[in-house]
Structure formats: structure tokens, C-alpha cells
Amino acid sequence: MDHPPLIVLIGPMGAGKSSIGRQLARQLGCDFVDSDRELEHRTGVDIPVIFEIEGEDGFRRREKAMIEELSESGGRVLATGGGAILDPDTRRILRHRGVVVYLQTSIEEQLRRTRRDRNRPLLQTGDPETRLRQLMAEREHLYRETAHVVVDTGAGGVPQLAKEIIQALEAWKAEHDGS
Ligand code: S3P
């Protein structure tokens, strides 16, 4: 793509937003930023500590402000947390400022990728599968309504998936420019 716009990755935990996003930015020759990692960097604590001290509501407020700030500049790939799209202002801002890619994946794949993870407070339960299914039932329509492009990350390695995203973005752009 000539002048990479702001590319936003949305999708559930374990969709591959960070690993694919980093690779995508490398292939496009632009910056990569991850809103959760940036939040941890700024606050000096990790996500579970924010949840512990300020609750999920406190985390969501910080997440919203972080994404609002990070989406101000174009020419970068921005990975968001799985619940970022719960906020209507965030959904509007992301769609307006960027090209939003929903990384779709199966519950089985999410479980495989988040197994043994201790950095995701919402999955610290005896039954992460049920939790992931609940979250998907609540959020899937929001991922779809926020996205310009949907890419399935179930099969293929990270470099290949990044290539598929670039192709999907080019197809979207061609269609969009023609309209
Ligand atoms: C969350 C997803 C996490 C992180 C936080 C809450 C969610 O990000 O923002 O633990 O609500 O789905 P990842 O999607 O990068 O794991």
C-alpha cells in the first residue's frame, strides 16, 4: 500500500492481534503499537494489577483514553485489547480514523493460544472455555459492526496471515476507492 493509513486490529483474546500486528507492521514498513502494552508501560504495572486495584471499570477507562490517543496518528498498526470495542465512542473513533480489521478465530484456537496465560484477568477462572464462549456471544456483533475487513486467523503462520491481511486491505481499498 502506498501510504499506510492507521490499521486497527480488533478481535478476541488469542486471535493473534499482537504477533500478527507486529509482523504486519514489519511487512508494511510502519510502526506497531499495542494499546495494552502501552498502558502497562505508562502505568508501570501489568494489566492484572490494574484490574485488581481499579476493577474492570477502571481498566476500561484507561483503555479508552489510551486508544483515543494512540489512534490519533496514521501510518501505524494498532492492536487493541479484546474488550476495546465494548465502548461505543471507541468503536466510532476507530472506524472513523482507521481501517479496522477483525481477526476472527475459533474458541478452540483461542484456548490453545491463551493456555497457561496469567496476564489475562478475565481468563483466570476454572473454566476458560465457557468464559471465552460467553465473551464471544456478547461481543461478536460488535467486532463485526466495527470492522471494515474480516480475516480468519485459524490457519497459517504469522507471516502468511500478515500477507493475507495486506491483500484483504488492498481489496478493500480498491473497492472503496471505486465507490
Ligand atoms: C481483554 C483482553 C486483553 C486485555 C484485558 C481484557 C478482554 O487483551 O485487554 O485482559 O476484555 O477481552 P488481549 O485481547 O490482547 O488478550
Side-chain angles (χ1 to χ4, degrees):
M1 302 179 109
D2 307 336
H3 299 288
L6 172 71
I7 296 169
V8 183
L9 302 184
I10 62 170
M13 293 180 271
K17 299 180 296 285
S18 303
S19 51
I20 298 170
R22 196 170 292 110
Q23 175 65 222
L24 178 63
R26 194 172 301 146
Q27 291 187 18
L28 290 170
C30 67
D31 288 342
F32 170 71
V33 61
D34 180 314
S35 61
D36 281 345
R37 298 295 81 74
E38 190 61 24
L39 201 49
E40 291 181 327
H41 181 70
R42 302 264 186 108
T43 55
V45 294
D46 60 20
I47 304 287
V49 173
I50 302 178
F51 266 73
E52 210 178 296
I53 298 175
E54 300 183 346
E56 182 170 346
D57 286 354
F59 169 75
R60 296 292 172 211
R61 275 193 293 277
R62 288 183 181 274
E63 178 180 49
K64 177 177 180 173
M66 191 79 265
I67 291 175
E68 153 92 71
E69 182 191 323
L70 295 175
S71 61
E72 271 172 1
S73 329
R76 53 166 54 164
V77 175
L78 167 63
T80 59
I85 44 69
L86 291 170
D87 185 89
D89 295 331
T90 301
R91 294 200 295 277
R92 204 169 31 245
I93 283 175
L94 291 178
R95 247 192 99 82
H96 180 69
R97 292 184 177 167
V99 186
V100 183
V101 183
Y102 167 29
L103 298 187
Q104 185 187 32
T105 194
S106 65
I107 299 287
E108 290 68 30
E109 195 59 31
Q110 282 184 264
L111 273 171
R112 197 182 66 73
R113 294 198 185 124
T114 58
R115 192 174 59 205
R116 290 194 288 272
D117 182 275
R118 293 288 162 270
N119 206 38
R120 292 176 167 106
L122 297 181
L123 294 187
Q124 305 316 304
T125 142
D127 186 0
E129 177 171 353
T130 299
R131 173 59 54 82
L132 286 171
R133 287 192 191 283
Q134 279 166 353
L135 291 173
M136 189 52 90
E138 289 163 19
R139 296 173 175 179
E140 190 174 18
H141 69 289
L142 300 176
Y143 293 131
R144 291 195 180 280
E145 79 173 48
T146 311
H148 296 99
V149 173
V150 181
V151 173
D152 196 308
T153 65
V158 170
Q160 178 56 33
L161 288 166
K163 275 199 196 100
E164 280 175 31
I165 293 173
I166 292 174
Q167 282 163 7
L169 288 169
E170 279 168 352
W172 178 83
K173 190 171 177 283
E175 203 175 303
H176 193 75
D177 285 350
S179 65

